[in-house]
Amino acid sequence: MKIIFGLGNPGLRYAATRHNCGFLTLDQLADKLGCRFGKKELDNEIALAHDGGERILLAKPQSYMNLSGFPLTRLCAYYKVSYDDILVILDDLSLQPGQLRLRRGGSDGGHNGMKSIIAQSGTDRINRLKIGIGAAPYDTALYVTTPFEREEMPRFAAAFARAADAALCWARQGIEAAMNLYNRMPEESGEK
């Protein structure tokens, strides 16, 4: 089994905000895999899919961002899933809007959700897929919890669809293949 864990904040107030890139990507991925969210388990909203012979659990933590590590570690313990078989999807202020970056591990990069995951799991060797939201032009906490502007939505809708493809590539072919295919802006790789 693999777990794809999208970071975000629960509730309608945060639904279309920059900090919810993980949730928004999982919605796209659930559509691609033909599964639906709705079941609650261990402080997560989950969707279970089968892809080839692999079970894939999509999870949206229902704690707030700063406590994301607790729901993830509970899922890992319950399903006996190794941290190597997890992909965390999150927003990143240091990347250009819409840019993707897959990594095998590393620091929390100042992201409170990732900080909680590293603290609770005891490892920084967790695969992650970052979605660029650009540097905050004003207060960071306000910026990440503010909805996308209407003119930004086409770029981010494309980024979420591409991120869903990248997550599926990770599940099927591993982190190296996904990094080679998706760690470039679409215009750099000739994609449209």
Side-chain angles (χ1 to χ4, degrees), residues 74-124:
R74 285 185 200 121
L75 280 178
C76 291
Y78 182 78
Y79 285 104
K80 297 177 177 46
V81 173
S82 160
Y83 290 119
D84 292 334
D85 290 324
I86 293 178
L87 179 69
V88 175
I89 304 175
L90 65 153
D91 57 293
D92 191 296
L93 291 158
S94 66
L95 297 175
Q96 296 175 43
Q99 182 180 1
L100 303 183
R101 175 75 38 86
L102 286 121
R103 292 190 60 192
R104 186 180 297 280
S107 74
D108 59 51
H111 192 285
N112 288 330
M114 202 67 225
K115 186 179 297 182
S116 175
I117 288 169
I118 291 170
Q120 294 308 311
S121 67
T123 183
D124 65 357

Side-chain angles (χ1 to χ4, degrees), residues 36-49:
R36 296 178 58 169
F37 282 95
K39 184 177 178 190
K40 298 278 199 287
E41 191 168 273
L42 303 169
D43 207 19
N44 291 279
E45 185 178 2
I46 65 166
L48 185 60

Side-chain angles (χ1 to χ4, degrees), residues 2 21-22 30 33 48 56 76 78 91-92 125 155 172:
K2 298 201 181 298
C21 287
L33 291 170
L48 185 60
I56 301 174
C76 291
Y78 182 78
D91 57 293
D92 191 296
R125 301 276 308 154
R155 174 188 293 260
R172 291 172 175 168

Side-chain angles (χ1 to χ4, degrees), residues 5-189:
F5 192 77
L7 295 188
N9 284 309
L12 289 176
R13 179 193 184 293
Y14 298 105
T17 63
R18 292 171 180 84
H19 233 4
N20 276 33
C21 287
F23 283 14
L24 295 164
T25 298
L26 285 187
D27 290 340
Q28 295 269 338
L29 186 53
D31 286 345
K32 287 178 184 295
L33 291 170
C35 60
R36 296 178 58 169
F37 282 95
K39 184 177 178 190
K40 298 278 199 287
E41 191 168 273
L42 303 169
D43 207 19
N44 291 279
E45 185 178 2
I46 65 166
L48 185 60
H50 295 274
D51 183 60
E54 185 78 65
R55 286 186 346 162
I56 301 174
L57 181 74
L58 309 181
K60 298 177 183 179
Q62 297 302 290
S63 61
Y64 285 92
M65 187 65 75
N66 298 354
L67 302 173
S68 298
F70 294 97
L72 178 59
T73 55
R74 285 185 200 121
L75 280 178
C76 291
Y78 182 78
Y79 285 104
K80 297 177 177 46
V81 173
S82 160
Y83 290 119
D84 292 334
D85 290 324
I86 293 178
L87 179 69
V88 175
I89 304 175
L90 65 153
D91 57 293
D92 191 296
L93 291 158
S94 66
L95 297 175
Q96 296 175 43
Q99 182 180 1
L100 303 183
R101 175 75 38 86
L102 286 121
R103 292 190 60 192
R104 186 180 297 280
S107 74
D108 59 51
H111 192 285
N112 288 330
M114 202 67 225
K115 186 179 297 182
S116 175
I117 288 169
I118 291 170
Q120 294 308 311
S121 67
T123 183
D124 65 357
R125 301 276 308 154
I126 294 175
N127 299 306
R128 60 204 71 177
L129 169 54
K130 300 177 181 185
I131 301 170
I133 59 171
Y138 47 88
D139 177 73
T140 301
L142 184 58
Y143 177 68
V144 298
T145 57
T146 298
F148 291 102
E149 301 293 334
R150 179 177 290 166
E151 61 273 9
E152 295 178 293
M153 282 314 297
R155 174 188 293 260
F156 281 100
F160 301 144
R162 195 164 178 267
D165 290 340
L168 201 50
C169 179
W170 167 81
R172 291 172 175 168
Q173 300 175 46
I175 190 72
E176 296 297 331
M179 286 168 56
N180 288 335
L181 285 171
Y182 292 94
N183 278 0
R184 297 177 291 219
M185 291 294 279
E187 49 275 6
E188 291 175 13
S189 62

